[in-house]
Amino acid sequence: GDVSSNILVDSLTMADRLESIEASTRLLYFVQSLHNEASRIDDSFKRPAIVLFSLDMTPDISLEDFVRRLGTYLPCHEATFVVAGELSFRLFHVDPSIFLMRNNLYKVLAAAITLATKLLEDCPIDYSLFSRCCGFTKLEMSALERHFCECINYNLFVSPEDFKVTNAAIDFVMEVDDIEMLKDEEYYMNAEMVY
């Protein structure tokens, strides 16, 4: 059946959908900034990305449309996307090379949002709905989620301070009109002060 036929999705108001789309877009810009930062790292520190997050082919859907789709069909609170950003940041610190390939971001985002949803939402999203929205099988989603947890050493607790700092970092990224400006060293120096 169609993804939009889910009862939770049908019960969302337009305001709920717009809030979720906006929050997912904020997460996308933040993760893209990690992608940009990974490309700036000295080549001597780069190592092959963890294979499980790799996608051999570029999906038929753009990363922007992928995130918009998740925000449209998955009723997540804005805080869920902030926590997904914090978890993504922790993964970035474990292995920045995961973020080098833009294709990897699909799986990173899917795993981070799944974990954040399970941590925060009172009614976690139906796993089959979520895997269909992401375009992965339930088995792939389960493996991604488990591997993500292993990579960050099961460090899933997000303190109020971590939440505030990540939210501020996401706000900083969103203030930049052009995502390409993030490559400018002055912007990164300011971002490092925030983070």
Side-chain angles (χ1 to χ4, degrees), residues 31-46:
V31 171
Q32 283 180 325
S33 74
L34 296 177
H35 166 71
N36 291 340
E37 181 65 17
S39 66
R40 294 166 37 99
I41 295 173
D42 183 357
D43 285 337
S44 62
F45 294 107
K46 293 178 184 174

Side-chain angles (χ1 to χ4, degrees), residues 72-161:
T72 300
Y73 292 115
L74 304 173
C76 297
H77 188 273
E78 181 180 357
T80 302
F81 293 103
V82 174
V83 169
E86 172 62 24
L87 297 176
S88 299
F89 191 71
R90 291 175 186 180
L91 183 65
F92 175 80
H93 278 287
V94 169
D95 188 355
S97 66
I98 293 171
F99 291 82
L100 279 173
M101 299 298 297
R102 190 170 163 82
N103 285 355
N104 295 0
L105 301 183
Y106 290 87
K107 288 187 173 183
V108 168
L109 286 164
I113 293 170
T114 302
L115 289 169
T117 300
K118 289 182 176 184
L119 291 170
L120 292 182
E121 300 290 334
D122 291 335
C123 300
I125 294 168
D126 178 291
Y127 215 58
S128 61
L129 170 68
F130 192 85
S131 61
R132 281 195 322 230
C133 279
C134 293
F136 305 120
T137 67
K138 287 191 276 186
L139 190 59
E140 284 176 302
M141 286 301 302
S142 180
L144 278 173
E145 186 179 342
R146 184 177 58 255
H147 196 63
F148 194 109
C149 287
E150 290 169 356
C151 286
I152 63 171
N153 200 24
Y154 292 88
N155 183 13
L156 297 170
F157 176 72
V158 177
S159 70
E161 184 59 32

